[in-house]
């Protein structure tokens, strides 16, 4: 059988104020196209379909349409909740989506109540068993009393053991004549963060080793860490990574979806299929003039710009005028004004407000007559003073 493994869609993500629904729409359309082209028997989505536990109506519509389009390719579709998703909402969708042939699992379940999904591969006929483990936070996994009474190492061991026990229970029914799969949303020891994860829910005091997964699993489809990676284990333990960079910390990641081929008697074979629909995230450096000379090169990208010039009024606007994709503008530390460790004592009355403000700007290397003029005008408006001649 063949199936796609994807995760961490984060539909509804806003990057520095920019809505990315159009990008997500293009990427999900690309994934649906790959499912159709490769005639897969199933699609496993390992959590974080949404970026928020309260997604907008537009984000929900996009995800529902994507799930239905995947199902329309003839593939079985199994989706679990991640730490960004709302598990109860997933479970509320569950009866309706099951009518459409889509399995959504929001909360941890026993094998008998939906913790194991079974089906026959539509195109190849192998029996398939999928043990599903949605995100389980430490605050739900370990009682508050234990958190207070135990050391971090003891709590970590408790979380590890709980996940092991759940996996043992869910995979107890794996069969020799079936393709046995696990999909989970969690942190595995030794995994590398992609750069845009929610740190508070990826802390490495709460993790499980790759050895927690059973040796008779043909493939473990993971979500949570946004970098595509395979962990060393007795069976393939794989993070598909996010299908688009959700933050500039992920700009060097290669977005992919995993195409997996497996039979009951042979190891899984994994092929990475690149995803290219989303806009690229890049960090660039230079003076405003240098950046303007290379503007055409970055026309389709979202940019974090490091400017090699001192700060001045209107600098951000200048950069964005030549680079419309600039979402973040910073000053190179080499050109930033040094912090004053000890500011001189000033006796009230020695200097007027305009002089004090001029000294303040000088300390921070802000040299711009327009800033001084604006301060004077605002000061006059607030105090009711007669405007000085300027």
């Amino acid at each position: 059988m063949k199936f796609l493994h994807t995760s961490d869609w984060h539909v509804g993500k806003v990057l520095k104020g920019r809505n990315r629904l159009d990008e997500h729409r293009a990427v999900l359309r690309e994934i649906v196209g790959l499912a159709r082209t490769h005639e897969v028997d199933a699609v496993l989505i390992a959590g974080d379909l949404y970026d928020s536990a309260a997604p907008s109506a537009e984000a929900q519509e996009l995800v529902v349409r994507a799930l239905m389009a995947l199902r329309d390719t003839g593939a079985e579709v199994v989706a679990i909740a991640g730490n960004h998703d709302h598990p109860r909402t997933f479970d509320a969708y569950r009866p309706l989506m099951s009518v459409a042939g889509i399995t959504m699992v929001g909360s941890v379940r026993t094998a008998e109540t939906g913790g194991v999904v079974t089906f026959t591969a539509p195109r190849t006929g192998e029996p398939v068993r999928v043990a599903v483990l949605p995100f389980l936070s430490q605050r739900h996994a370990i009682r508050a009393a234990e958190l207070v009474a135990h050391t971090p190492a003891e709590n970590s061991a408790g979380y590890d053991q709980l996940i092991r026990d759940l996996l043992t229970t869910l995979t107890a029914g794996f069969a020799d004549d079936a393709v046995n799969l696990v999909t989970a949303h969690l942190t595995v020891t030794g995994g590398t963060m992609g750069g845009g994860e929610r740190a508070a829910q990826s802390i490495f005091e709460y993790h499980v080793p790759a050895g927690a997964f059973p040796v008779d699993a043909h493939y473990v489809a993971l979500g949570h860490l946004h970098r595509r990676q395979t962990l060393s284990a007795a069976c393939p333990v794989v993070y598909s990574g996010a299908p688009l960079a959700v933050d500039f910390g992920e700009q060097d990641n290669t977005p992919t979806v995993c195409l997996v081929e497996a039979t009951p008697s042979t190891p899984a074979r994994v092929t990475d299929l690149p995803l290219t629909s989303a806009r690229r995230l890049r960090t660039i450096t230079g003076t405003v003039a240098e950046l303007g000379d290379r503007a055409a090169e970055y026309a389709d990208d979202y940019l974090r710009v490091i400017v090699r010039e001192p700060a001045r009024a209107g600098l951000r606007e200048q950069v964005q005028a030549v680079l419309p994709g600039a979402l973040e503008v910073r000053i190179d530390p080499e050109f930033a004004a040094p912090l004053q460790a000890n500011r001189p004592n000033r006796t009230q009355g020695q200097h007027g407000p305009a002089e004090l403000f001029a000294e303040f700007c000088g300390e921070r290397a802000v040299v711009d007559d327009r800033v001084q003029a604006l301060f004077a005008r605002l000061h006059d408006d607030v105090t009711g003073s007669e405007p000085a001649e300027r």
Side-chain angles (χ1 to χ4, degrees):
M1 65 166 294
K2 292 189 291 186
F3 64 92
L4 290 185
H5 165 206
T6 179
S7 71
D8 297 280
W9 291 357
H10 288 274
V11 175
K13 173 70 177 179
V14 175
L15 179 62
K16 309 295 181 183
R18 294 290 180 99
N19 187 301
R20 305 186 74 188
L21 278 179
D22 285 344
E23 286 180 88
H24 270 110
R25 187 172 290 107
V27 168
L28 295 180
R29 187 182 301 118
E30 193 175 0
I31 293 174
V32 172
L34 291 172
R36 183 174 291 109
T37 298
H38 292 277
E39 299 183 328
V40 299
D41 296 283
V43 179
L44 304 185
I45 309 162
D48 280 356
L49 280 70
Y50 298 106
D51 191 61
S52 165
S56 67
E58 292 80 7
Q60 292 184 67
E61 180 182 3
L62 178 53
V63 166
V64 169
R65 287 186 179 277
L67 294 175
M68 294 179 68
L70 288 168
R71 180 61 180 144
D72 285 345
T73 67
E76 296 283 340
V77 179
V78 179
I80 64 173
N83 58 298
H84 284 252
D85 301 314
H86 194 281
R88 291 184 180 178
T89 301
F90 264 52
D91 289 336
Y93 273 124
R94 183 178 170 85
L96 181 61
M97 298 302 281
S98 66
V99 173
I102 298 164
T103 301
M104 296 186 75
V105 184
S107 305
V108 175
R109 295 171 172 267
T110 64
E112 296 75 22
T113 60
V116 176
V117 180
T118 61
F119 58 89
T120 299
R123 294 182 172 92
T124 57
E126 291 105 334
V128 182
R129 303 181 72 86
V130 187
V132 294
L133 185 60
F135 179 72
L136 183 64
S137 70
Q138 54 270 27
R139 70 187 179 91
H140 288 114
I142 300 174
R143 293 177 307 181
E146 292 176 333
L147 287 173
V148 173
H150 293 171
T151 66
E154 289 171 331
N155 290 333
S156 177
Y159 184 82
D160 174 3
Q161 189 59 54
L162 175 63
I163 297 298
R164 287 175 181 268
D165 292 344
L166 286 169
L167 289 170
T168 298
T169 300
L170 292 172
T171 60
F174 278 4
D176 293 339
D177 64 345
V179 175
N180 301 312
L181 308 174
V182 177
T183 184
H185 194 90
L186 46 72
T187 302
V188 172
T189 312
T192 303
M193 295 181 71
E197 298 88 348
R198 186 176 289 169
Q201 293 176 328
S202 304
I203 55 176
F204 284 88
E205 283 132 346
Y206 293 94
H207 57 86
V208 295
F213 300 103
V215 296
D216 54 348
H218 291 88
Y219 184 88
V220 177
L222 296 180
H224 194 35
L225 303 186
H226 294 181
R227 187 187 301 271
R228 165 67 178 92
Q229 56 195 297
T230 300
L231 284 302
S232 179
C235 60
V237 176
V238 178
Y239 284 101
S240 65
L244 77 170
V246 302
D247 202 287
F248 286 102
E250 300 182 8
Q251 64 181 18
D252 295 326
N253 296 351
T254 301
T256 61
V257 61
C258 297
L259 173 65
V260 186
E261 299 176 70
T263 74
S265 59
T266 58
R269 184 174 64 189
V270 185
T271 303
D272 288 352
L273 305 177
L275 299 169
T276 60
S277 296
R279 294 178 69 164
R280 183 178 177 184
L281 272 56
R282 302 175 73 172
T283 299
I284 59 175
T285 304
T287 65
V288 175
E290 291 168 343
L291 295 169
D293 290 341
R294 293 148 48 198
E297 180 184 346
Y298 310 126
D300 297 327
D301 304 329
Y302 283 139
L303 304 171
R304 177 169 57 186
V305 181
I306 312 298
V307 183
R308 291 184 55 80
E309 295 182 27
R312 63 176 182 273
L315 180 59
R316 178 184 178 86
E317 289 73 16
Q318 280 186 284
V319 171
Q320 291 180 321
V322 295
L323 297 169
L327 304 186
E328 185 176 330
V329 179
R330 300 181 179 180
I331 301 297
D332 189 305
E334 182 182 340
F335 291 83
L339 293 175
Q340 299 293 322
N342 296 304
R343 299 187 64 181
N345 291 325
R346 298 187 178 100
T347 304
Q348 186 175 2
Q350 273 188 330
H351 299 283
E355 293 167 307
L356 290 172
F357 185 71
E359 289 181 13
F360 174 84
C361 291
E363 290 171 2
R364 283 155 178 76
V366 178
V367 182
D368 193 315
D369 291 341
R370 294 173 300 168
V371 175
Q372 302 294 331
L374 177 60
F375 176 84
R377 186 165 67 251
L378 291 172
H379 180 264
D380 293 342
D381 290 344
V382 171
T383 63
S385 302
E386 289 295 326
E389 192 173 315
R390 53 185 182 271

